């Protein structure tokens, strides 16, 4: 795979912050209303709400990810603050722990030194290895404490269905489309990454364009919302 010459603006201001904080804001507003919702277990809208909230959780992680590449804002303080907040809202993920591991992934893709990779190629073994790299006991304790405080005012069912379950489902979405599919098997290109076929709607719905994974590794300084432009300029 090679690239055509292309020109994509490197300037992300102020759009990067508007998009990042837009995702944070929509996630918060959606969660606020869903936690007060009277659950109707027979309504398909209930399950659609879970999926939408899952996608918004994925957006939180993608925002933190973009901050790790410095493409939320050219202002380093605002960039890091946005990444830190987005990561924390996603079940108390530690931005400081995520940052070096993600850059290790970019330096050592699909090798023994890649924290995101597992040579077995087995979905469940790889997923559990992936989770162990990032989930800490402190994160679990903070989630448990927060859950027990929130349930003083919010129903347990709403907390589980709209706060906890979408976060867990999002880890599968991120892992499957952003790690497992792109890096499984033998990829002989320079980035050891495969990529989704061009379909911008599906690429956004599946994982904020991160199925265009070769393109991300080829242009890590491109924010998620411009990855489709990189895809447009890729040829086999």
């Amino acid at each position: 795979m090679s690239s055509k010459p292309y020109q994509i603006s490197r300037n992300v201001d102020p759009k990067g912050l508007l998009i990042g904080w837009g995702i944070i804001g929509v996630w918060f507003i959606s969660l606020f209303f869903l936690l007060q919702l009277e659950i109707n277990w027979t309504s398909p809208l209930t399950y659609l709400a879970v999926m939408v909230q899952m996608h918004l959780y994925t957006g939180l992680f993608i925002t933190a990810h973009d901050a790790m590449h410095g493409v939320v804002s050219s202002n380093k303080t605002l960039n890091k603050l946005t990444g830190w907040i987005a990561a924390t809202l996603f079940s108390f993920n530690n931005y400081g722990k995520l940052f070096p591991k993600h850059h290790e992934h970019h330096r050592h893709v699909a090798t023994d030194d890649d924290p995101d990779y597992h040579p077995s190629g087995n979905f469940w073994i790889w997923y559990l290895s992936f989770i162990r790299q990032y989930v800490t006991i402190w994160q679990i304790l903070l989630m448990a404490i927060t859950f027990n405080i929130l349930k003083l005012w919010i129903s347990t069912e709403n907390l589980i269905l709209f706060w906890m379950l979408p976060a867990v489902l999002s880890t599968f979405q991120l892992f499957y489309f952003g790690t497992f599919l792109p890096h499984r098997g033998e990829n002989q290109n320079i980035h050891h990454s495969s990529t989704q076929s061009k379909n911008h709607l599906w690429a956004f719905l599946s994982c904020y364009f991160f199925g265009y994974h070769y393109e991300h590794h080829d242009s890590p300084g491109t924010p998620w919302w411009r990855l489709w432009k990189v895809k447009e300029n890729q040829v086999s």
Side-chain angles (χ1 to χ4, degrees), residues 159-225:
L159 281 170
I160 293 173
L161 189 62
F162 298 122
W163 183 56
M164 297 179 68
L165 178 61
V168 173
L169 293 175
S170 179
T171 67
F172 285 100
Q173 182 181 8
L174 287 160
F175 172 72
Y176 184 72
F177 292 105
T179 297
F180 180 73
L181 286 183
H183 296 302
R184 66 177 176 171
E186 296 292 330
N187 293 296
Q188 300 302 325
N189 57 61
I190 60 172
H191 300 303
H192 303 289
S193 307
S194 61
T195 191
Q196 285 181 4
S197 299
K198 185 169 69 174
N199 182 324
H200 298 327
L201 177 61
W202 173 240
F204 170 72
L205 292 175
S206 61
C207 200
Y208 292 77
F209 301 121
F210 268 83
Y212 294 160
H213 209 75
Y214 176 94
E215 290 76 13
H216 167 57
H217 280 271
D218 202 42
S219 184
T222 299
W224 73 263
W225 39 273

Side-chain angles (χ1 to χ4, degrees), residues 17-70:
L17 280 173
L18 291 174
I19 290 173
W21 280 95
I23 290 172
I24 292 170
V26 173
W27 172 87
F28 181 83
I29 292 168
S30 173
L31 182 62
F32 177 81
F33 284 105
L34 289 174
L35 289 180
Q36 301 176 73
L37 184 71
E38 183 176 345
I39 298 173
N40 179 352
W41 295 103
T42 64
S43 172
L45 293 178
T46 299
Y47 304 98
L48 177 62
V50 172
M51 299 304 290
V52 169
Q53 200 64 17
M54 174 195 75
H55 194 64
L56 290 170
Y57 264 107
T58 298
L60 291 179
F61 190 90
I62 296 297
T63 299
H65 166 273
D66 269 12
M68 294 173 213
H69 287 287

